[in-house]
Amino acid sequence: QWYQRRVREIKEKQGDKVARIQHGDMAVYDDLFFSGCPKFLSPVVSENPTSPFGSSGPRGLQLQVFKTEVEQQRLIPTLRSFLKLYTSIPISKLAKFLDMHENEVRCCLMAFKHKKEVAKGDSTDQTTMDIDFYVDKDMVHISDTKIARHYGDYYVQQVLKLKESNKLILGAALAPVVTSNTA
């Protein structure tokens, strides 16, 4: 509920920016980053124009890092949706779907795999945990790990039901049979 309320508030306040983001406009990230980021302090004071921070200082450097991360994660939801449809898919076919070169798709797959491994340590992000894949030459092999978890849960539930049934049967067999003598 709180999540839906928050999404509604964001859509009301930033609806046009959300739409621009969904259409791939990277310039929107500059505005959003500068409106929400803290003020970064430079560890050194320098009047040198060839500073490693560039002309905009540490904020500009942090913006570059942020935009690099956004660019890496931009295609992950689309890639994930394609991978969930297949058990194996050639990289060439995936590249055609994504309208990219095969090498770019390989980079995206590796970035997705890296983000997935990083997310394993963060229990709040479960969106990428339900799918696993590996690349073998020019083929991507996908396994849906969520299905395996359901089979395991089902098996455990059936074992518990069997134990409960056995207790009832053994309890009924060991109980003394009371007969009434009406002679």
PDB file of all heavy atoms in Angstrom, residues 40-79:
ATOM      1  N   PHE A  40      28.493  17.380  -2.640  1.00  0.00           N
ATOM      2  CA  PHE A  40      29.758  16.665  -2.471  1.00  0.00           C
ATOM      3  C   PHE A  40      30.885  17.662  -2.257  1.00  0.00           C
ATOM      4  O   PHE A  40      30.942  18.696  -2.912  1.00  0.00           O
ATOM      5  CB  PHE A  40      30.049  15.804  -3.700  1.00  0.00           C
ATOM      6  CG  PHE A  40      29.024  14.736  -3.924  1.00  0.00           C
ATOM      7  CD1 PHE A  40      28.048  14.890  -4.886  1.00  0.00           C
ATOM      8  CD2 PHE A  40      29.020  13.584  -3.163  1.00  0.00           C
ATOM      9  CE1 PHE A  40      27.097  13.915  -5.099  1.00  0.00           C
ATOM     10  CE2 PHE A  40      28.077  12.601  -3.359  1.00  0.00           C
ATOM     11  CZ  PHE A  40      27.106  12.769  -4.329  1.00  0.00           C
ATOM     12  N   LEU A  41      31.751  17.326  -1.335  1.00  0.00           N
ATOM     13  CA  LEU A  41      32.901  18.180  -1.037  1.00  0.00           C
ATOM     14  C   LEU A  41      34.143  17.587  -1.669  1.00  0.00           C
ATOM     15  O   LEU A  41      34.370  16.382  -1.629  1.00  0.00           O
ATOM     16  CB  LEU A  41      33.109  18.294   0.469  1.00  0.00           C
ATOM     17  CG  LEU A  41      31.939  18.886   1.252  1.00  0.00           C
ATOM     18  CD1 LEU A  41      32.242  18.833   2.736  1.00  0.00           C
ATOM     19  CD2 LEU A  41      31.670  20.304   0.812  1.00  0.00           C
ATOM     20  N   SER A  42      34.953  18.446  -2.218  1.00  0.00           N
ATOM     21  CA  SER A  42      36.195  18.004  -2.817  1.00  0.00           C
ATOM     22  C   SER A  42      37.237  17.806  -1.720  1.00  0.00           C
ATOM     23  O   SER A  42      37.377  18.640  -0.830  1.00  0.00           O
ATOM     24  CB  SER A  42      36.688  19.055  -3.812  1.00  0.00           C
ATOM     25  OG  SER A  42      37.953  18.691  -4.300  1.00  0.00           O
ATOM     26  N   PRO A  43      37.998  16.715  -1.769  1.00  0.00           N
ATOM     27  CA  PRO A  43      39.029  16.502  -0.764  1.00  0.00           C
ATOM     28  C   PRO A  43      40.213  17.451  -0.927  1.00  0.00           C
ATOM     29  O   PRO A  43      40.998  17.625  -0.013  1.00  0.00           O
ATOM     30  CB  PRO A  43      39.454  15.051  -0.966  1.00  0.00           C
ATOM     31  CG  PRO A  43      39.075  14.729  -2.364  1.00  0.00           C
ATOM     32  CD  PRO A  43      37.897  15.598  -2.705  1.00  0.00           C
ATOM     33  N   VAL A  44      40.317  18.058  -2.094  1.00  0.00           N
ATOM     34  CA  VAL A  44      41.405  19.009  -2.349  1.00  0.00           C
ATOM     35  C   VAL A  44      40.825  20.276  -2.956  1.00  0.00           C
ATOM     36  O   VAL A  44      39.851  20.244  -3.687  1.00  0.00           O
ATOM     37  CB  VAL A  44      42.471  18.421  -3.300  1.00  0.00           C
ATOM     38  CG1 VAL A  44      43.198  17.269  -2.682  1.00  0.00           C
ATOM     39  CG2 VAL A  44      41.869  18.003  -4.619  1.00  0.00           C
ATOM     40  N   VAL A  45      41.433  21.401  -2.621  1.00  0.00           N
ATOM     41  CA  VAL A  45      41.027  22.668  -3.209  1.00  0.00           C
ATOM     42  C   VAL A  45      42.009  22.968  -4.322  1.00  0.00           C
ATOM     43  O   VAL A  45      43.212  23.058  -4.080  1.00  0.00           O
ATOM     44  CB  VAL A  45      41.030  23.791  -2.151  1.00  0.00           C
ATOM     45  CG1 VAL A  45      40.661  25.110  -2.794  1.00  0.00           C
ATOM     46  CG2 VAL A  45      40.096  23.445  -1.014  1.00  0.00           C
ATOM     47  N   SER A  46      41.495  23.114  -5.536  1.00  0.00           N
ATOM     48  CA  SER A  46      42.374  23.321  -6.672  1.00  0.00           C
ATOM     49  C   SER A  46      41.740  24.310  -7.636  1.00  0.00           C
ATOM     50  O   SER A  46      40.561  24.232  -7.938  1.00  0.00           O
ATOM     51  CB  SER A  46      42.620  21.989  -7.384  1.00  0.00           C
ATOM     52  OG  SER A  46      43.352  22.206  -8.556  1.00  0.00           O
ATOM     53  N   GLU A  47      42.540  25.231  -8.102  1.00  0.00           N
ATOM     54  CA  GLU A  47      42.102  26.174  -9.130  1.00  0.00           C
ATOM     55  C   GLU A  47      42.540  25.686 -10.505  1.00  0.00           C
ATOM     56  O   GLU A  47      42.339  26.365 -11.495  1.00  0.00           O
ATOM     57  CB  GLU A  47      42.707  27.562  -8.858  1.00  0.00           C
ATOM     58  CG  GLU A  47      42.236  28.187  -7.562  1.00  0.00           C
ATOM     59  CD  GLU A  47      40.744  28.533  -7.614  1.00  0.00           C
ATOM     60  OE1 GLU A  47      40.244  28.903  -8.698  1.00  0.00           O
ATOM     61  OE2 GLU A  47      40.092  28.415  -6.571  1.00  0.00           O
ATOM     62  N   ASN A  48      43.132  24.516 -10.539  1.00  0.00           N
ATOM     63  CA  ASN A  48      43.658  23.946 -11.759  1.00  0.00           C
ATOM     64  C   ASN A  48      42.501  23.509 -12.675  1.00  0.00           C
ATOM     65  O   ASN A  48      41.674  22.699 -12.278  1.00  0.00           O
ATOM     66  CB  ASN A  48      44.548  22.740 -11.414  1.00  0.00           C
ATOM     67  CG  ASN A  48      45.228  22.160 -12.637  1.00  0.00           C
ATOM     68  OD1 ASN A  48      45.062  22.647 -13.745  1.00  0.00           O
ATOM     69  ND2 ASN A  48      46.002  21.112 -12.410  1.00  0.00           N
ATOM     70  N   PRO A  49      42.419  24.000 -13.911  1.00  0.00           N
ATOM     71  CA  PRO A  49      41.332  23.602 -14.804  1.00  0.00           C
ATOM     72  C   PRO A  49      41.431  22.149 -15.268  1.00  0.00           C
ATOM     73  O   PRO A  49      40.470  21.590 -15.741  1.00  0.00           O
ATOM     74  CB  PRO A  49      41.459  24.564 -15.993  1.00  0.00           C
ATOM     75  CG  PRO A  49      42.853  25.072 -15.955  1.00  0.00           C
ATOM     76  CD  PRO A  49      43.300  25.004 -14.522  1.00  0.00           C
ATOM     77  N   THR A  50      42.596  21.544 -15.109  1.00  0.00           N
ATOM     78  CA  THR A  50      42.743  20.135 -15.485  1.00  0.00           C
ATOM     79  C   THR A  50      42.521  19.236 -14.284  1.00  0.00           C
ATOM     80  O   THR A  50      43.109  18.171 -14.179  1.00  0.00           O
ATOM     81  CB  THR A  50      44.126  19.888 -16.102  1.00  0.00           C
ATOM     82  OG1 THR A  50      45.130  20.219 -15.129  1.00  0.00           O
ATOM     83  CG2 THR A  50      44.330  20.706 -17.365  1.00  0.00           C
ATOM     84  N   SER A  51      41.671  19.673 -13.385  1.00  0.00           N
ATOM     85  CA  SER A  51      41.345  18.897 -12.191  1.00  0.00           C
ATOM     86  C   SER A  51      40.673  17.581 -12.593  1.00  0.00           C
ATOM     87  O   SER A  51      39.919  17.543 -13.571  1.00  0.00           O
ATOM     88  CB  SER A  51      40.398  19.705 -11.295  1.00  0.00           C
ATOM     89  OG  SER A  51      39.902  18.909 -10.263  1.00  0.00           O
ATOM     90  N   PRO A  52      40.929  16.504 -11.852  1.00  0.00           N
ATOM     91  CA  PRO A  52      40.283  15.233 -12.193  1.00  0.00           C
ATOM     92  C   PRO A  52      38.763  15.286 -12.050  1.00  0.00           C
ATOM     93  O   PRO A  52      38.055  14.440 -12.549  1.00  0.00           O
ATOM     94  CB  PRO A  52      40.898  14.233 -11.204  1.00  0.00           C
ATOM     95  CG  PRO A  52      41.457  15.051 -10.107  1.00  0.00           C
ATOM     96  CD  PRO A  52      41.812  16.381 -10.700  1.00  0.00           C
ATOM     97  N   PHE A  53      38.262  16.325 -11.344  1.00  0.00           N
ATOM     98  CA  PHE A  53      36.821  16.441 -11.165  1.00  0.00           C
ATOM     99  C   PHE A  53      36.158  17.140 -12.332  1.00  0.00           C
ATOM    100  O   PHE A  53      34.947  17.212 -12.409  1.00  0.00           O
ATOM    101  CB  PHE A  53      36.496  17.203  -9.868  1.00  0.00           C
ATOM    102  CG  PHE A  53      36.979  16.493  -8.636  1.00  0.00           C
ATOM    103  CD1 PHE A  53      37.930  17.082  -7.821  1.00  0.00           C
ATOM    104  CD2 PHE A  53      36.491  15.257  -8.305  1.00  0.00           C
ATOM    105  CE1 PHE A  53      38.372  16.437  -6.684  1.00  0.00           C
ATOM    106  CE2 PHE A  53      36.928  14.604  -7.174  1.00  0.00           C
ATOM    107  CZ  PHE A  53      37.872  15.193  -6.366  1.00  0.00           C
ATOM    108  N   GLY A  54      36.925  17.699 -13.237  1.00  0.00           N
ATOM    109  CA  GLY A  54      36.351  18.410 -14.370  1.00  0.00           C
ATOM    110  C   GLY A  54      35.896  19.792 -13.967  1.00  0.00           C
ATOM    111  O   GLY A  54      36.198  20.296 -12.886  1.00  0.00           O
ATOM    112  N   SER A  55      35.159  20.430 -14.838  1.00  0.00           N
ATOM    113  CA  SER A  55      34.749  21.814 -14.590  1.00  0.00           C
ATOM    114  C   SER A  55      33.636  21.915 -13.563  1.00  0.00           C
ATOM    115  O   SER A  55      33.473  22.941 -12.924  1.00  0.00           O
ATOM    116  CB  SER A  55      34.306  22.460 -15.902  1.00  0.00           C
ATOM    117  OG  SER A  55      33.215  21.738 -16.431  1.00  0.00           O
ATOM    118  N   SER A  56      32.848  20.866 -13.369  1.00  0.00           N
ATOM    119  CA  SER A  56      31.725  20.946 -12.428  1.00  0.00           C
ATOM    120  C   SER A  56      32.060  20.381 -11.060  1.00  0.00           C
ATOM    121  O   SER A  56      31.190  20.290 -10.211  1.00  0.00           O
ATOM    122  CB  SER A  56      30.504  20.238 -13.011  1.00  0.00           C
ATOM    123  OG  SER A  56      30.820  18.895 -13.281  1.00  0.00           O
ATOM    124  N   GLY A  57      33.293  19.980 -10.847  1.00  0.00           N
ATOM    125  CA  GLY A  57      33.727  19.534  -9.531  1.00  0.00           C
ATOM    126  C   GLY A  57      33.257  18.132  -9.182  1.00  0.00           C
ATOM    127  O   GLY A  57      32.899  17.333 -10.052  1.00  0.00           O
ATOM    128  N   PRO A  58      33.251  17.853  -7.874  1.00  0.00           N
ATOM    129  CA  PRO A  58      32.894  16.498  -7.428  1.00  0.00           C
ATOM    130  C   PRO A  58      31.455  16.108  -7.781  1.00  0.00           C
ATOM    131  O   PRO A  58      31.183  14.944  -8.022  1.00  0.00           O
ATOM    132  CB  PRO A  58      33.082  16.540  -5.924  1.00  0.00           C
ATOM    133  CG  PRO A  58      33.693  17.829  -5.594  1.00  0.00           C
ATOM    134  CD  PRO A  58      33.695  18.693  -6.793  1.00  0.00           C
ATOM    135  N   ARG A  59      30.536  17.069  -7.825  1.00  0.00           N
ATOM    136  CA  ARG A  59      29.152  16.750  -8.206  1.00  0.00           C
ATOM    137  C   ARG A  59      29.101  16.228  -9.633  1.00  0.00           C
ATOM    138  O   ARG A  59      28.352  15.296  -9.944  1.00  0.00           O
ATOM    139  CB  ARG A  59      28.250  17.979  -8.079  1.00  0.00           C
ATOM    140  CG  ARG A  59      27.778  18.221  -6.668  1.00  0.00           C
ATOM    141  CD  ARG A  59      26.893  19.416  -6.602  1.00  0.00           C
ATOM    142  NE  ARG A  59      25.512  19.027  -6.876  1.00  0.00           N
ATOM    143  CZ  ARG A  59      24.527  19.886  -7.019  1.00  0.00           C
ATOM    144  NH1 ARG A  59      24.766  21.179  -6.958  1.00  0.00           N
ATOM    145  NH2 ARG A  59      23.317  19.473  -7.236  1.00  0.00           N
ATOM    146  N   GLY A  60      29.875  16.822 -10.511  1.00  0.00           N
ATOM    147  CA  GLY A  60      29.915  16.360 -11.898  1.00  0.00           C
ATOM    148  C   GLY A  60      30.478  14.958 -12.007  1.00  0.00           C
ATOM    149  O   GLY A  60      29.989  14.138 -12.796  1.00  0.00           O
ATOM    150  N   LEU A  61      31.495  14.674 -11.202  1.00  0.00           N
ATOM    151  CA  LEU A  61      32.085  13.331 -11.194  1.00  0.00           C
ATOM    152  C   LEU A  61      31.066  12.308 -10.691  1.00  0.00           C
ATOM    153  O   LEU A  61      30.908  11.238 -11.272  1.00  0.00           O
ATOM    154  CB  LEU A  61      33.346  13.308 -10.320  1.00  0.00           C
ATOM    155  CG  LEU A  61      34.076  11.976 -10.241  1.00  0.00           C
ATOM    156  CD1 LEU A  61      34.617  11.578 -11.616  1.00  0.00           C
ATOM    157  CD2 LEU A  61      35.204  12.047  -9.239  1.00  0.00           C
ATOM    158  N   GLN A  62      30.351  12.652  -9.608  1.00  0.00           N
ATOM    159  CA  GLN A  62      29.323  11.747  -9.079  1.00  0.00           C
ATOM    160  C   GLN A  62      28.190  11.552 -10.085  1.00  0.00           C
ATOM    161  O   GLN A  62      27.642  10.463 -10.202  1.00  0.00           O
ATOM    162  CB  GLN A  62      28.782  12.274  -7.751  1.00  0.00           C
ATOM    163  CG  GLN A  62      29.764  12.195  -6.609  1.00  0.00           C
ATOM    164  CD  GLN A  62      30.184  10.771  -6.313  1.00  0.00           C
ATOM    165  OE1 GLN A  62      29.380   9.854  -6.326  1.00  0.00           O
ATOM    166  NE2 GLN A  62      31.470  10.578  -6.057  1.00  0.00           N
ATOM    167  N   LEU A  63      27.858  12.613 -10.833  1.00  0.00           N
ATOM    168  CA  LEU A  63      26.831  12.498 -11.867  1.00  0.00           C
ATOM    169  C   LEU A  63      27.285  11.524 -12.947  1.00  0.00           C
ATOM    170  O   LEU A  63      26.492  10.700 -13.420  1.00  0.00           O
ATOM    171  CB  LEU A  63      26.521  13.869 -12.484  1.00  0.00           C
ATOM    172  CG  LEU A  63      25.552  13.852 -13.662  1.00  0.00           C
ATOM    173  CD1 LEU A  63      24.173  13.382 -13.217  1.00  0.00           C
ATOM    174  CD2 LEU A  63      25.470  15.214 -14.307  1.00  0.00           C
ATOM    175  N   GLN A  64      28.541  11.593 -13.336  1.00  0.00           N
ATOM    176  CA  GLN A  64      29.055  10.673 -14.349  1.00  0.00           C
ATOM    177  C   GLN A  64      28.968   9.224 -13.860  1.00  0.00           C
ATOM    178  O   GLN A  64      28.579   8.330 -14.610  1.00  0.00           O
ATOM    179  CB  GLN A  64      30.496  11.016 -14.710  1.00  0.00           C
ATOM    180  CG  GLN A  64      30.647  12.283 -15.512  1.00  0.00           C
ATOM    181  CD  GLN A  64      32.110  12.657 -15.706  1.00  0.00           C
ATOM    182  OE1 GLN A  64      32.994  12.147 -15.023  1.00  0.00           O
ATOM    183  NE2 GLN A  64      32.354  13.551 -16.656  1.00  0.00           N
ATOM    184  N   VAL A  65      29.333   9.003 -12.611  1.00  0.00           N
ATOM    185  CA  VAL A  65      29.263   7.650 -12.041  1.00  0.00           C
ATOM    186  C   VAL A  65      27.810   7.172 -12.020  1.00  0.00           C
ATOM    187  O   VAL A  65      27.500   6.030 -12.384  1.00  0.00           O
ATOM    188  CB  VAL A  65      29.881   7.625 -10.622  1.00  0.00           C
ATOM    189  CG1 VAL A  65      29.616   6.299  -9.930  1.00  0.00           C
ATOM    190  CG2 VAL A  65      31.371   7.916 -10.684  1.00  0.00           C
ATOM    191  N   PHE A  66      26.916   8.061 -11.597  1.00  0.00           N
ATOM    192  CA  PHE A  66      25.493   7.738 -11.533  1.00  0.00           C
ATOM    193  C   PHE A  66      24.945   7.393 -12.919  1.00  0.00           C
ATOM    194  O   PHE A  66      24.247   6.392 -13.096  1.00  0.00           O
ATOM    195  CB  PHE A  66      24.727   8.913 -10.921  1.00  0.00           C
ATOM    196  CG  PHE A  66      23.237   8.753 -10.952  1.00  0.00           C
ATOM    197  CD1 PHE A  66      22.606   7.856 -10.098  1.00  0.00           C
ATOM    198  CD2 PHE A  66      22.462   9.508 -11.816  1.00  0.00           C
ATOM    199  CE1 PHE A  66      21.233   7.705 -10.120  1.00  0.00           C
ATOM    200  CE2 PHE A  66      21.085   9.365 -11.845  1.00  0.00           C
ATOM    201  CZ  PHE A  66      20.472   8.457 -10.990  1.00  0.00           C
ATOM    202  N   LYS A  67      25.270   8.197 -13.917  1.00  0.00           N
ATOM    203  CA  LYS A  67      24.760   7.965 -15.268  1.00  0.00           C
ATOM    204  C   LYS A  67      25.338   6.683 -15.879  1.00  0.00           C
ATOM    205  O   LYS A  67      24.654   5.988 -16.630  1.00  0.00           O
ATOM    206  CB  LYS A  67      25.036   9.176 -16.154  1.00  0.00           C
ATOM    207  CG  LYS A  67      24.119  10.346 -15.826  1.00  0.00           C
ATOM    208  CD  LYS A  67      24.433  11.573 -16.624  1.00  0.00           C
ATOM    209  CE  LYS A  67      23.924  11.470 -18.019  1.00  0.00           C
ATOM    210  NZ  LYS A  67      24.043  12.733 -18.773  1.00  0.00           N
ATOM    211  N   THR A  68      26.574   6.363 -15.528  1.00  0.00           N
ATOM    212  CA  THR A  68      27.165   5.103 -15.996  1.00  0.00           C
ATOM    213  C   THR A  68      26.397   3.926 -15.422  1.00  0.00           C
ATOM    214  O   THR A  68      26.085   2.965 -16.133  1.00  0.00           O
ATOM    215  CB  THR A  68      28.656   5.019 -15.588  1.00  0.00           C
ATOM    216  OG1 THR A  68      29.354   6.125 -16.149  1.00  0.00           O
ATOM    217  CG2 THR A  68      29.277   3.723 -16.051  1.00  0.00           C
ATOM    218  N   GLU A  69      26.060   4.009 -14.150  1.00  0.00           N
ATOM    219  CA  GLU A  69      25.280   2.948 -13.495  1.00  0.00           C
ATOM    220  C   GLU A  69      23.881   2.848 -14.115  1.00  0.00           C
ATOM    221  O   GLU A  69      23.383   1.745 -14.361  1.00  0.00           O
ATOM    222  CB  GLU A  69      25.179   3.219 -11.994  1.00  0.00           C
ATOM    223  CG  GLU A  69      24.510   2.136 -11.210  1.00  0.00           C
ATOM    224  CD  GLU A  69      25.344   0.876 -11.088  1.00  0.00           C
ATOM    225  OE1 GLU A  69      26.561   0.934 -11.248  1.00  0.00           O
ATOM    226  OE2 GLU A  69      24.745  -0.186 -10.831  1.00  0.00           O
ATOM    227  N   VAL A  70      23.254   3.969 -14.367  1.00  0.00           N
ATOM    228  CA  VAL A  70      21.922   3.981 -14.992  1.00  0.00           C
ATOM    229  C   VAL A  70      21.993   3.343 -16.377  1.00  0.00           C
ATOM    230  O   VAL A  70      21.131   2.537 -16.745  1.00  0.00           O
ATOM    231  CB  VAL A  70      21.365   5.423 -15.081  1.00  0.00           C
ATOM    232  CG1 VAL A  70      20.175   5.508 -16.011  1.00  0.00           C
ATOM    233  CG2 VAL A  70      20.992   5.930 -13.700  1.00  0.00           C
ATOM    234  N   GLU A  71      23.003   3.690 -17.135  1.00  0.00           N
ATOM    235  CA  GLU A  71      23.154   3.154 -18.486  1.00  0.00           C
ATOM    236  C   GLU A  71      23.342   1.633 -18.448  1.00  0.00           C
ATOM    237  O   GLU A  71      22.800   0.919 -19.286  1.00  0.00           O
ATOM    238  CB  GLU A  71      24.338   3.816 -19.190  1.00  0.00           C
ATOM    239  CG  GLU A  71      24.469   3.478 -20.648  1.00  0.00           C
ATOM    240  CD  GLU A  71      23.295   3.931 -21.502  1.00  0.00           C
ATOM    241  OE1 GLU A  71      22.734   5.001 -21.230  1.00  0.00           O
ATOM    242  OE2 GLU A  71      22.942   3.194 -22.440  1.00  0.00           O
ATOM    243  N   GLN A  72      24.083   1.142 -17.450  1.00  0.00           N
ATOM    244  CA  GLN A  72      24.293  -0.295 -17.329  1.00  0.00           C
ATOM    245  C   GLN A  72      23.001  -1.018 -16.974  1.00  0.00           C
ATOM    246  O   GLN A  72      22.763  -2.131 -17.413  1.00  0.00           O
ATOM    247  CB  GLN A  72      25.346  -0.597 -16.269  1.00  0.00           C
ATOM    248  CG  GLN A  72      26.749  -0.285 -16.680  1.00  0.00           C
ATOM    249  CD  GLN A  72      27.748  -0.548 -15.564  1.00  0.00           C
ATOM    250  OE1 GLN A  72      27.372  -0.862 -14.439  1.00  0.00           O
ATOM    251  NE2 GLN A  72      29.018  -0.412 -15.871  1.00  0.00           N
ATOM    252  N   GLN A  73      22.159  -0.392 -16.168  1.00  0.00           N
ATOM    253  CA  GLN A  73      20.945  -1.058 -15.701  1.00  0.00           C
ATOM    254  C   GLN A  73      19.724  -0.775 -16.569  1.00  0.00           C
ATOM    255  O   GLN A  73      18.673  -1.378 -16.371  1.00  0.00           O
ATOM    256  CB  GLN A  73      20.649  -0.641 -14.263  1.00  0.00           C
ATOM    257  CG  GLN A  73      21.672  -1.161 -13.303  1.00  0.00           C
ATOM    258  CD  GLN A  73      21.247  -1.011 -11.874  1.00  0.00           C
ATOM    259  OE1 GLN A  73      20.082  -0.818 -11.570  1.00  0.00           O
ATOM    260  NE2 GLN A  73      22.199  -1.114 -10.961  1.00  0.00           N
ATOM    261  N   ARG A  74      19.848   0.088 -17.536  1.00  0.00           N
ATOM    262  CA  ARG A  74      18.703   0.503 -18.353  1.00  0.00           C
ATOM    263  C   ARG A  74      18.057  -0.668 -19.091  1.00  0.00           C
ATOM    264  O   ARG A  74      16.841  -0.763 -19.173  1.00  0.00           O
ATOM    265  CB  ARG A  74      19.167   1.568 -19.352  1.00  0.00           C
ATOM    266  CG  ARG A  74      18.101   2.163 -20.193  1.00  0.00           C
ATOM    267  CD  ARG A  74      18.661   3.286 -21.060  1.00  0.00           C
ATOM    268  NE  ARG A  74      19.745   2.860 -21.915  1.00  0.00           N
ATOM    269  CZ  ARG A  74      19.591   2.388 -23.146  1.00  0.00           C
ATOM    270  NH1 ARG A  74      18.404   2.306 -23.658  1.00  0.00           N
ATOM    271  NH2 ARG A  74      20.642   2.015 -23.856  1.00  0.00           N
ATOM    272  N   LEU A  75      18.859  -1.573 -19.628  1.00  0.00           N
ATOM    273  CA  LEU A  75      18.326  -2.669 -20.428  1.00  0.00           C
ATOM    274  C   LEU A  75      18.020  -3.935 -19.627  1.00  0.00           C
ATOM    275  O   LEU A  75      17.475  -4.886 -20.180  1.00  0.00           O
ATOM    276  CB  LEU A  75      19.299  -3.012 -21.554  1.00  0.00           C
ATOM    277  CG  LEU A  75      19.389  -1.993 -22.670  1.00  0.00           C
ATOM    278  CD1 LEU A  75      20.470  -2.389 -23.659  1.00  0.00           C
ATOM    279  CD2 LEU A  75      18.063  -1.849 -23.378  1.00  0.00           C
ATOM    280  N   ILE A  76      18.346  -3.954 -18.353  1.00  0.00           N
ATOM    281  CA  ILE A  76      18.159  -5.175 -17.566  1.00  0.00           C
ATOM    282  C   ILE A  76      16.699  -5.631 -17.536  1.00  0.00           C
ATOM    283  O   ILE A  76      16.434  -6.815 -17.742  1.00  0.00           O
ATOM    284  CB  ILE A  76      18.769  -5.026 -16.160  1.00  0.00           C
ATOM    285  CG1 ILE A  76      20.292  -5.061 -16.278  1.00  0.00           C
ATOM    286  CG2 ILE A  76      18.277  -6.119 -15.216  1.00  0.00           C
ATOM    287  CD1 ILE A  76      21.039  -4.882 -14.978  1.00  0.00           C
ATOM    288  N   PRO A  77      15.709  -4.769 -17.300  1.00  0.00           N
ATOM    289  CA  PRO A  77      14.325  -5.267 -17.298  1.00  0.00           C
ATOM    290  C   PRO A  77      13.893  -5.862 -18.641  1.00  0.00           C
ATOM    291  O   PRO A  77      13.223  -6.899 -18.676  1.00  0.00           O
ATOM    292  CB  PRO A  77      13.488  -4.025 -16.956  1.00  0.00           C
ATOM    293  CG  PRO A  77      14.426  -3.107 -16.274  1.00  0.00           C
ATOM    294  CD  PRO A  77      15.765  -3.365 -16.881  1.00  0.00           C
ATOM    295  N   THR A  78      14.288  -5.232 -19.743  1.00  0.00           N
ATOM    296  CA  THR A  78      13.937  -5.755 -21.064  1.00  0.00           C
ATOM    297  C   THR A  78      14.632  -7.085 -21.312  1.00  0.00           C
ATOM    298  O   THR A  78      14.011  -8.045 -21.774  1.00  0.00           O
ATOM    299  CB  THR A  78      14.344  -4.746 -22.155  1.00  0.00           C
ATOM    300  OG1 THR A  78      13.790  -3.478 -21.840  1.00  0.00           O
ATOM    301  CG2 THR A  78      13.875  -5.190 -23.511  1.00  0.00           C
ATOM    302  N   LEU A  79      15.903  -7.144 -20.984  1.00  0.00           N
ATOM    303  CA  LEU A  79      16.671  -8.373 -21.152  1.00  0.00           C
ATOM    304  C   LEU A  79      16.076  -9.494 -20.313  1.00  0.00           C
ATOM    305  O   LEU A  79      15.904 -10.621 -20.780  1.00  0.00           O
ATOM    306  CB  LEU A  79      18.127  -8.109 -20.769  1.00  0.00           C
ATOM    307  CG  LEU A  79      19.140  -9.188 -21.045  1.00  0.00           C
ATOM    308  CD1 LEU A  79      19.200  -9.506 -22.530  1.00  0.00           C
ATOM    309  CD2 LEU A  79      20.504  -8.745 -20.555  1.00  0.00           C
TER     310      LEU A  79
END
